[in-house]
């Protein structure tokens, strides 16, 4: 069972999927390896990548572990939900609004898109985007909440987030000034462990590849955790090994090693 992050791992930061990576994923899947995409993306942004990769069966973990899909080519959307975990975003959003005023906020609408307090930069959110009032935003049970400060350097943003002191939730900061908040105890790793058990895969036969802080638990969970060459140092330190940069198709040699 190989568990793959999407952005910065399977596709580059320009949202491009290289032919070499696509071919390697298909080869591994054809060899009988369970390929499970594990991403912070919502399902509406995950499925186009899965389709492009040529994967039509299996499972996928979205929204940093809050949502798990079972792929089904007979379904209209190509999948059905098997696990969905939600939480009350109100306390976290109120705290963030007070400590980080002016930040952009988005609450995922499962299978549809996002409610936002103001438009995000073009291309950063997928699906149907609706600008709503703050009261509606904080009253929506959520699988995932995103906070964004496009003009803030990531290290400054990271310091601000840690200073806020979020409690009762799981959260991770991305490679830009981007914060994802999930239900407490939920991570890619927690969802992948349920998938592993359902598939009957031995814990020693798990591989995970990722590049960001929301991959830390996943890399530690897998028997073989691989960090991309473009990952921050703290992510590399949590991994068993480090492969090449995403721009150099660093995922390819990892996938090839599974069948060589």
């Amino acid at each position: 069972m190989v568990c793959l992050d999407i952005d910065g791992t399977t596709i580059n930061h320009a949202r491009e999927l290289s032919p070499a990576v696509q071919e390697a994923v298909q080869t591994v899947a054809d060899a009988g390896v369970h390929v499970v995409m594990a991403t912070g993306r919502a399902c509406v942004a995950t499925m186009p990548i899965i389709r492009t990769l040529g994967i039509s069966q299996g499972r996928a973990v979205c929204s940093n572990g809050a949502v798990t899909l079972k792929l089904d080519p007979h379904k209209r959307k190509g999948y059905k939900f098997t696990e969905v975990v939600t939480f009350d975003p109100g306390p976290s959003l109120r705290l963030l609004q007070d400590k980080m005023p002016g930040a952009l906020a988005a609450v995922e609408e499962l299978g549809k898109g996002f409610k936002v307090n103001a438009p995000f930069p073009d291309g950063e959110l997928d699906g149907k985007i609706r600008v709503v009032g703050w009261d509606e935003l904080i009253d929506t049970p959520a699988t995932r909440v995103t906070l964004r400060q496009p003009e803030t350097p990531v290290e400054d943003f990271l310091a601000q987030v840690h200073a806020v002191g979020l409690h009762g939730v799981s959260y991770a900061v991305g490679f830009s000034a981007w914060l994802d908040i999930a239900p407490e105890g939920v991570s890619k790793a927690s969802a992948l462990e349920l998938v592993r058990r359902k598939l009957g895969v031995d814990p020693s036969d798990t591989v995970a590849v990722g590049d960001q802080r929301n991959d830390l638990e996943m890399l530690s969970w897998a028997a073989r955790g691989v960090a991309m060459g473009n990952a921050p140092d703290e992510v590399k330190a949590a991994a068993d090994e480090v492969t090449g940069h995403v721009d150099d198709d660093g995922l390819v040699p990892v996938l090839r090693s599974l069948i060589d």
Side-chain angles (χ1 to χ4, degrees):
M1 173 177 163
V2 61
C3 311
L4 306 178
D5 172 52
I6 292 181
D7 297 281
T9 301
T10 304
I11 67 174
N12 63 27
H13 295 130
R15 295 194 167 197
E16 298 167 338
L17 173 65
S18 80
V21 169
Q22 183 178 19
E23 179 182 2
V25 170
Q26 291 175 342
T27 299
V28 167
D30 290 344
V33 177
H34 297 288
V35 178
V36 181
M37 307 312 293
T39 177
R41 288 181 172 223
C43 59
V44 293
T46 302
M47 286 304 299
I49 302 299
I50 288 176
R51 294 187 186 101
T52 301
L53 288 169
I55 301 172
S56 60
Q57 295 183 332
R59 287 170 170 79
V61 169
C62 306
S63 304
N64 287 320
V67 177
T68 302
L69 312 177
K70 182 176 182 180
L71 304 181
D72 186 345
H74 301 295
K75 296 288 185 180
R76 181 175 62 86
K77 293 185 177 181
Y79 65 87
K80 65 178 181 180
F81 297 112
T82 59
E83 301 287 342
V84 176
V85 185
T86 62
F87 72 111
D88 175 8
S92 295
L93 282 175
R94 291 188 186 96
L95 186 60
L96 288 163
Q97 183 190 34
D98 179 57
K99 301 294 185 180
M100 301 172 69
L104 304 177
V107 174
E108 181 180 344
E109 289 195 280
L110 187 61
K112 298 177 181 178
F114 293 87
K115 294 180 180 179
V116 300
N117 67 330
F120 274 54
D122 289 345
E124 290 195 346
L125 297 176
D126 293 276
K128 183 179 179 181
I129 311 301
R130 295 198 297 126
V131 178
V132 301
W134 193 255
D135 288 342
E136 181 175 348
L137 200 67
I138 64 177
D139 287 340
T140 304
T143 52
R144 168 188 165 206
V145 170
T146 295
L147 199 79
R148 183 80 164 96
Q149 285 187 327
E151 306 304 322
T152 304
V154 65
E155 294 305 324
D156 293 346
F157 183 76
L158 186 61
Q160 289 181 50
V161 170
H162 288 331
V164 167
L166 292 171
H167 298 290
V169 294
S170 299
Y171 70 92
V173 175
F175 76 94
S176 60
W178 178 290
L179 169 69
D180 277 334
I181 305 172
E184 185 174 20
V186 170
S187 67
K188 293 183 183 183
S190 65
L192 289 169
E193 174 60 15
L194 294 177
V195 171
R196 181 196 67 77
R197 294 179 184 183
K198 288 179 180 179
L199 294 176
V201 174
D202 191 274
S204 64
D205 291 329
T206 53
V207 180
V209 191
D211 77 306
Q212 280 301 324
R213 297 173 185 88
N214 63 339
D215 296 315
L216 286 168
E217 295 91 346
M218 176 176 77
L219 296 181
S220 298
W221 162 84
R224 179 186 175 191
V226 184
M228 297 295 291
N230 45 288
D233 288 343
E234 64 186 284
V235 178
K236 293 177 180 177
D240 300 301
E241 62 189 85
V242 178
T243 188
H245 196 285
V246 65
D247 291 337
D248 299 322
D249 295 338
L251 180 58
V252 171
V254 180
L255 293 174
R256 287 177 177 167
S257 72
L258 303 179
I259 56 177
D260 287 345

